[in-house]
Amino acid sequence: MMKSKKQSTSLVLAADYIFYLLPFIILIIISLAQEKLSDLLTISDWSIASTIIYGQLIVKLSAALAATNREKKIPAITLYLTILVCLGLVVNVVIYSLMLIMPSKGLGITQLILFGFASICHFIFGAAVGHINKVQ
């Protein structure tokens, strides 16, 4: 039974993630057709997608914690939400702004790294939310 719950959470997280990737798949196809694949590095969409991922995580985590009657470890929750807001939302909004003002390959690579980190957080925090929701 426990394996089934973990598998269910993993499938939901994968389905969510497909929707995060869909615009980039379309952009990649268009860039390939126009032979401008290198332009993908300097678009600010990566930062926007990372911001959306973090925003969704904050909403899902907050809602799951509010809905559970179980005892909560407030210092840990505070730390997790602070990480999501400060290292997730704020950093990506700053990089997004910089990409609009002065796009560069260095910032583009930074965006990709941050998108990768947001992707990892999607699965880690998403699994935690799945666990909280299943325990209720």
Side-chain angles (χ1 to χ4, degrees):
M1 182 74 138
M2 185 63 121
K3 186 176 181 179
S4 176
K5 287 181 182 180
K6 284 183 182 179
Q7 184 178 15
S8 175
T9 298
S10 296
L11 292 174
V12 169
L13 290 172
D16 280 350
Y17 194 71
I18 289 169
F19 283 101
Y20 295 134
L21 289 181
L22 186 59
F24 294 105
I25 293 168
I26 294 167
L27 282 171
I28 289 169
I29 292 168
I30 292 169
S31 295
L32 284 170
Q34 295 177 335
E35 297 180 2
K36 295 182 178 181
L37 200 56
S38 63
D39 290 352
L40 286 174
L41 190 60
T42 55
I43 59 172
S44 59
D45 299 39
W46 298 103
S47 290
I48 291 294
S50 296
T51 303
I52 291 169
I53 291 171
Y54 284 114
Q56 287 293 311
L57 285 172
I58 291 166
V59 169
K60 289 177 183 179
L61 183 59
S62 300
L65 290 167
T68 186
N69 293 326
R70 294 180 51 127
E71 184 179 332
K72 298 167 184 78
K73 297 177 182 174
I74 301 300
I77 293 168
T78 303
L79 175 64
Y80 298 145
L81 289 173
T82 300
I83 288 170
L84 290 173
V85 171
C86 294
L87 298 179
L89 285 176
V90 174
V91 169
N92 282 288
V93 169
V94 168
I95 297 296
Y96 170 72
S97 300
L98 290 172
M99 282 298 289
L100 292 177
I101 296 168
M102 49 185 210
S104 70
K105 290 196 185 240
L107 284 173
I109 291 168
T110 302
Q111 280 190 123
L112 289 175
I113 292 167
L114 290 173
F115 181 78
F117 190 68
S119 299
I120 292 167
C121 286
H122 167 75
F123 289 100
I124 291 171
F125 285 98
V129 168
H131 177 72
I132 292 167
N133 287 334
K134 300 286 188 230
V135 172
Q136 294 181 40

